[in-house]
Amino acid sequence: AKAWFFHRFYDFQPDLNTSNPYVQAEILKIMGFWIQLGVSGFRMDAVPFVIATKGAKVKTPVEQYDMLRSLREFLQWRQGNAIILAEANVLPETDMEYFGKDGDRMHMMFNFHVNQNLFYAMASADSRPLAKALAATKPRPASAQWGLFLRNHDELDLGRLTKAQRDVVFKNFGPDKSMQLYDRGIRRRLAPMLGGDRRRLELAYSLMCTLPGTPVIRYGDEIGMGDNLDLPERNCARTPMQWSTEPQGGFTKSERPCAPVIDKGPYGYEHINVAKQRRDPNSMLNWTERIIRMRKEVPEIGWGDFRVIATRDPAILAIRYDWRNNSVLFVHNLDEKPREASFSVGLSGDEGKHLINLLSENHSEANDRGKHTLMLEAYGYRWYRVGGLDYLLKRSDIDGVNANHPE
């Protein structure tokens, strides 16, 4: 009767045999349908499992990486500026198989390796494993990019951390069993995970916006939405967007939404909603809008090369980007206590003498030895442009050229 099917995840989700050319053709038809409607791209879920060989006779699945190239070719043919963003929680040595050595497979990938070490860094006030993760995921094609994220619609997966590291993150961000999932993840949203502490939320977003890659923000996190731990598994963080103080948070006119709106406690829609925060210049929403606007004015993060700057303090992460004769520098204090950081920008001559703060009037001048000394408040962060605000005048038209040191 053939009354059976293969499934990878839930038993009500049959797997498709993506090795079958007819299945592949149907996937392309579906992509074409949505492209014609005007979508800007696709998020490809669980990529290693999608492209793996399947069947009763398959004992060791093999990833069919050429399938990724076929999907990309079809997408670029139909819509040249659309992208595929891949969800592939794989080890760094496998990354290039998904990007393609010539950048001809996935346009972007979520950087799970950095994500997990980022949460460990925030939980432990130790930036060293994060710095190692950044170095491990540095190789990528010039035409590809990482997607940097804090939370998504699933649990915060900590499976790549050591047990000791995972326990530290659990203790700080999800101590109760009801907050954990599959013994390797935390199912909470970002705001309650960080105790609703505005300082820690700003630090987390500042880190996401200044680490190598493109920031990816989950809906609701821009206003600090909470979660409903009474809902099963991942559904606790998939509640409707809270738009206003109207019934059902302004999400729907239905009395029975697809998921219950959070209506109780400090994260209820009457307290946390878009309309209220749009009217408050100091709200989380308006702060997020300003930080996104500033991030767009710093192309060095997306296009440039980066280097982690030594500060001799594990709680301080300092990172510099260089691109087309311009440099920017970002400093973060991961500790709950104020820290003093002393460092050299690492550029030749007087290029690193002046640091212009992009977020406030608190600029920095190097001492006679070329060292900058900063006093960072608890969970403090600084965005600097090296040299001055005349960077557009200094920007080279090509990569790898330093106008101050012509060859």
Side-chain angles (χ1 to χ4, degrees):
K2 297 183 179 180
W4 51 270
F5 56 79
F6 290 100
H7 70 90
R8 169 71 66 172
F9 300 108
Y10 294 111
D11 56 13
F12 56 83
Q13 291 180 328
D15 260 11
L16 295 173
N17 181 10
T18 50
S19 299
N20 188 310
Y22 291 100
V23 172
Q24 293 182 22
E26 191 64 28
I27 291 173
L28 296 182
K29 288 180 184 178
I30 295 169
M31 289 177 66
F33 171 82
W34 288 105
I35 291 169
Q36 190 170 351
L37 289 180
V39 299
S40 299
F42 299 90
R43 173 191 177 276
M44 191 171 175
D45 189 48
V47 180
F49 304 116
V50 171
I51 65 174
T53 52
K54 305 174 181 70
K57 298 180 180 180
V58 177
K59 294 183 179 180
T60 304
V62 177
E63 288 79 11
Q64 305 164 97
Y65 296 113
D66 285 343
M67 190 185 302
L68 302 178
R69 189 174 190 273
S70 299
L71 295 173
R72 165 128 179 199
E73 283 182 342
F74 178 81
L75 178 64
Q76 303 290 192
W77 172 58
R78 293 291 299 271
Q79 184 69 30
N81 61 352
I83 67 163
I84 299 177
L85 172 56
E87 186 212 39
N89 188 356
V90 296
L91 294 172
E93 52 264 31
T94 317
D95 293 337
M96 205 61 73
E97 297 288 357
Y98 291 85
F99 283 132
K101 290 182 173 59
D102 297 321
D104 57 349
R105 292 175 181 170
M106 298 289 92
H107 299 80
M108 295 181 65
M109 285 175 59
F110 285 115
N111 197 331
F112 283 92
H113 193 57
V114 165
N115 175 261
Q116 297 182 40
N117 283 280
L118 172 57
F119 274 92
Y120 174 72
M122 292 193 294
S124 64
D126 185 356
S127 66
R128 291 171 295 186
L130 174 58
K132 290 181 181 179
L134 292 172
T137 56
K138 190 172 185 177
R140 60 171 175 80
S143 59
Q145 186 57 284
W146 288 112
L148 269 296
F149 68 104
L150 293 169
R151 291 291 291 112
N152 57 26
H153 64 287
D154 294 334
E155 72 281 0
L156 169 64
D157 191 345
L158 305 171
R160 300 291 185 190
L161 300 180
T162 66
K163 184 181 184 305
Q165 290 174 326
R166 195 159 49 245
D167 288 344
V168 170
V169 182
F170 278 149
K171 179 181 178 181
N172 282 271
F173 299 145
D176 296 334
K177 273 292 182 182
S178 65
M179 302 173 181
Q180 301 170 16
L181 195 62
Y182 308 140
D183 295 322
R184 57 169 170 73
I186 298 176
R187 66 191 192 112
R188 307 213 70 186
R189 265 193 179 265
L190 184 67
M193 195 186 303
L194 299 180
D197 189 331
R198 176 67 177 267
R199 301 170 304 166
R200 301 184 83 177
L201 285 168
E202 289 188 13
L203 172 69
Y205 274 111
S206 178
L207 283 162
M208 181 186 67
C209 287
T210 58
L211 293 179
T214 298
V216 181
I217 299 178
R218 172 158 168 74
Y219 84 90
D221 281 354
E222 71 273 37
I223 63 172
M225 270 179 58
D227 47 42
N228 182 357
L229 294 176
D230 292 333
L231 296 176
E233 297 187 343
R234 296 165 169 174
N235 290 338
C236 67
R238 298 177 178 181
T239 57
M241 183 67 180
Q242 297 169 195
W243 292 104
S244 67
T245 56
E246 296 177 344
Q248 307 297 351
F251 179 78
T252 178
K253 292 294 184 181
S254 171
E255 295 182 1
R256 298 182 62 185
C258 55
V261 180
I262 297 176
D263 58 2
K264 298 177 182 177
Y267 296 102
Y269 69 85
E270 292 188 352
H271 303 290
I272 304 292
N273 65 73
V274 173
K276 184 176 181 179
Q277 292 198 20
R278 287 188 72 180
R279 293 188 288 266
D280 179 2
N282 297 315
S283 68
M284 188 72 205
L285 176 62
N286 277 308
W287 179 90
T288 304
E289 188 177 313
R290 289 192 297 271
I291 214 72
I292 290 173
R293 185 167 61 247
M294 182 54 68
R295 169 63 178 78
K296 290 181 176 180
E297 296 179 12
V298 189
E300 289 84 354
I301 301 174
W303 290 102
D305 191 15
F306 73 89
R307 174 187 171 191
V308 175
I309 303 298
T311 64
R312 297 188 178 182
D313 185 346
I316 302 294
L317 177 67
I319 185 168
R320 190 191 80 226
Y321 293 87
D322 306 309
W323 181 65
R324 294 192 174 182
N325 202 41
N326 285 302
S327 298
V328 287
L329 178 76
F330 305 95
V331 188
H332 292 85
N333 176 17
L334 304 171
D335 200 1
E336 62 183 355
K337 298 177 182 178
R339 312 287 288 210
E340 184 177 85
S342 181
F343 58 87
S344 172
V345 174
L347 296 173
S348 61
D350 293 331
E351 290 184 54
K353 185 176 181 180
H354 308 288
L355 296 180
I356 306 302
N357 197 319
L358 297 176
L359 304 177
S360 73
E361 294 299 321
N362 186 17
H363 312 304
S364 178
E365 295 285 329
N367 60 22
D368 294 339
R369 295 176 297 159
K371 293 269 189 177
H372 290 268
T373 300
L374 307 179
M375 179 57 72
L376 292 161
E377 65 277 11
Y379 307 122
Y381 55 92
R382 301 287 187 273
W383 291 28
Y384 292 114
R385 184 163 285 285
V386 179
L389 297 179
D390 59 344
Y391 60 97
L392 288 176
L393 301 176
K394 298 191 301 180
R395 182 180 294 171
S396 169
D397 291 333
I398 59 176
D399 296 330
V401 173
N402 188 331
N404 295 325
H405 301 282
E407 296 183 0

